Amino acid sequence: MSSAESPHARLVVAAGGSERLDRYLAEHHPDLSRSRAAQLLEQGRIRVNNEPARKSQRVADGDIIEIDMPAPVPTAIAPEAIPLVIVHEDQDLLVIDKPAGLVVHPAPGHRTGTLVNALLHHVSDLSGIGGVLRPGIVHRLDRDTSGLIIVAKNDAAHRRLAAALKRREVHRIYVAAVWGHLPQDALEIDAPIGRSRNDRKRMAVLPDGRAARTRVRRLARWRAADLVQAELETGRTHQIRVHLMHIGHPVVGDATYGQAAERGMSGPDRGWAAELARRVPRQFLHAARLRFAHPRTGAALRFDSRLPPDLAGAAEWALATTLGG
């Protein structure tokens, strides 16, 4: 167990206290969320003035709150010695440069070999997030998307980073290659996204979907494709891929939302497009930059990741053949 979660804590309510106990604990104890506080209250592990506490009771000035923290239980997920590129690590968080092909969370069909399995092997000072010894994935990347991802080591960091993400204070910038040419150098796609009514494994732009906004800027114009930068303002599932398909410029190599899009090319560009598709081994989408404030210190953090070799090689070919052609 990390030192971030004390096995026993004692809080004295300062002047002006009148909140519900579970809310007060979430606001004043760095390693408790409201749901975690409620869980401990139900387990009888919290006392107020030496009496068993209820989550609905309100604190009063001078109340003495005592918390008996249980040791976090090991997760059922097995640690695995999977190589990881750790870009940054401190007592609160990690930034990982995830390779394509690595699933983030265990799920049906991917019970092992995930980023979480790897983290449990590589990180020795995880706290009991929600009472379970596990890493806190703050946001996700698709299996075939490479690049930067934030991992929290304790409840306080996870809660603050998740709140910053909700407030749009975590800036996530991607690099993608898309088929065809954008109508302008910069644009914003504002289109709600929800689960497809025809295929539950896919997302789609739907009138009753959740609000979703992506800012896109062209970085390079290739012969029959563009290299773009995409910044998420919201974080819906498959957002960049769905939005780019929605405007008619699907991500190169995207087997779900842009399958065989290059076959729609005509004239001399068709052969070029077919060759680019052959050179791109998976969806051309890379999480290239993260900017956010450190959850404990507030210090501004920025991390950058270059295109990995599989995408960089295809981009070099595309540029060379565009300039040469």
Side-chain angles (χ1 to χ4, degrees), residues 11-19 24 28 59-63:
L11 300 175
V12 179
V13 178
S18 63
E19 297 175 90
Y24 181 87
H28 291 84
V59 298
D61 297 356
D63 278 351

Side-chain angles (χ1 to χ4, degrees), residues 253-293:
D254 189 339
T256 300
Y257 299 105
Q259 187 174 25
E262 72 279 2
R263 295 178 188 170
M265 301 282 180
S266 60
D269 289 339
R270 183 167 185 172
W272 184 94
E275 180 60 19
L276 177 61
R278 189 189 69 79
R279 288 172 177 268
V280 175
R282 42 98 176 185
Q283 61 199 31
F284 198 123
L285 186 61
H286 179 69
R289 178 173 297 166
L290 281 172
R291 288 191 292 113
F292 59 97

Side-chain angles (χ1 to χ4, degrees), residues 131-212:
V132 180
L133 191 64
R134 61 175 173 83
I137 303 299
V138 177
H139 61 107
R140 300 185 185 188
L141 293 178
D142 298 334
R143 179 183 64 182
D144 289 328
T145 298
S146 53
L148 301 172
I149 185 170
I150 308 170
V151 178
K153 285 186 173 183
N154 54 64
D155 266 332
H158 198 182
R159 191 166 63 251
R160 291 167 187 163
L161 286 166
L165 196 67
K166 189 174 182 179
R167 295 192 302 267
R168 300 169 187 167
E169 295 170 355
V170 178
H171 300 277
R172 294 166 290 165
I173 297 175
Y174 294 70
V175 171
V178 302
W179 290 116
H181 299 301
L182 298 180
Q184 56 203 68
D185 287 338
L187 55 89
E188 180 175 289
I189 308 169
D190 188 344
I193 291 176
R195 185 72 58 181
S196 170
R197 297 187 178 95
N198 300 318
D199 183 347
R200 302 301 294 173
K201 294 181 180 180
R202 291 165 56 104
M203 308 300 288
V205 169
L206 299 172
D208 58 348
R210 300 176 68 189

Side-chain angles (χ1 to χ4, degrees), residues 68-312:
D68 178 25
M69 294 279 201
V73 298
T75 177
I77 303 167
E80 295 181 47
I82 300 168
L84 287 178
V85 177
I86 299 175
V87 176
H88 171 85
E89 181 175 6
D90 59 40
Q91 64 181 321
D92 296 302
L93 63 91
L94 303 99
V95 175
I96 304 293
D97 200 338
K98 185 187 86 68
L102 183 63
V103 175
V104 171
H105 270 301
H110 297 282
R111 294 295 184 188
T112 61
T114 72
L115 175 61
V116 169
N117 295 103
L119 287 165
L120 288 169
H121 173 81
H122 286 275
V123 184
S124 61
D125 60 343
L126 291 172
S127 292
I129 299 175
V132 180
L133 191 64
R134 61 175 173 83
I137 303 299
V138 177
H139 61 107
R140 300 185 185 188
L141 293 178
D142 298 334
R143 179 183 64 182
D144 289 328
T145 298
S146 53
L148 301 172
I149 185 170
I150 308 170
V151 178
K153 285 186 173 183
N154 54 64
D155 266 332
H158 198 182
R159 191 166 63 251
R160 291 167 187 163
L161 286 166
L165 196 67
K166 189 174 182 179
R167 295 192 302 267
R168 300 169 187 167
E169 295 170 355
V170 178
H171 300 277
R172 294 166 290 165
I173 297 175
Y174 294 70
V175 171
V178 302
W179 290 116
H181 299 301
L182 298 180
Q184 56 203 68
D185 287 338
L187 55 89
E188 180 175 289
I189 308 169
D190 188 344
I193 291 176
R195 185 72 58 181
S196 170
R197 297 187 178 95
N198 300 318
D199 183 347
R200 302 301 294 173
K201 294 181 180 180
R202 291 165 56 104
M203 308 300 288
V205 169
L206 299 172
D208 58 348
R210 300 176 68 189
R213 286 176 294 279
T214 308
R215 289 189 291 275
V216 182
R217 181 169 64 88
R218 180 166 30 227
L219 299 176
R221 183 184 174 100
W222 296 336
R223 184 167 171 178
D226 282 345
L227 185 69
V228 304
Q229 172 183 292
E231 182 170 4
L232 290 174
E233 189 173 325
T234 55
R236 309 304 174 213
T237 300
H238 301 172
Q239 179 173 317
I240 292 173
R241 298 162 61 196
V242 171
H243 269 173
L244 289 168
M245 177 192 68
H246 177 66
I247 65 169
H249 300 282
V251 172
V252 173
D254 189 339
T256 300
Y257 299 105
Q259 187 174 25
E262 72 279 2
R263 295 178 188 170
M265 301 282 180
S266 60
D269 289 339
R270 183 167 185 172
W272 184 94
E275 180 60 19
L276 177 61
R278 189 189 69 79
R279 288 172 177 268
V280 175
R282 42 98 176 185
Q283 61 199 31
F284 198 123
L285 186 61
H286 179 69
R289 178 173 297 166
L290 281 172
R291 288 191 292 113
F292 59 97
H294 191 279
R296 184 188 297 268
T297 68
L301 300 177
R302 170 175 161 167
F303 304 98
D304 293 277
S305 171
R306 295 182 177 181
L307 285 177
D310 61 342
L311 301 185

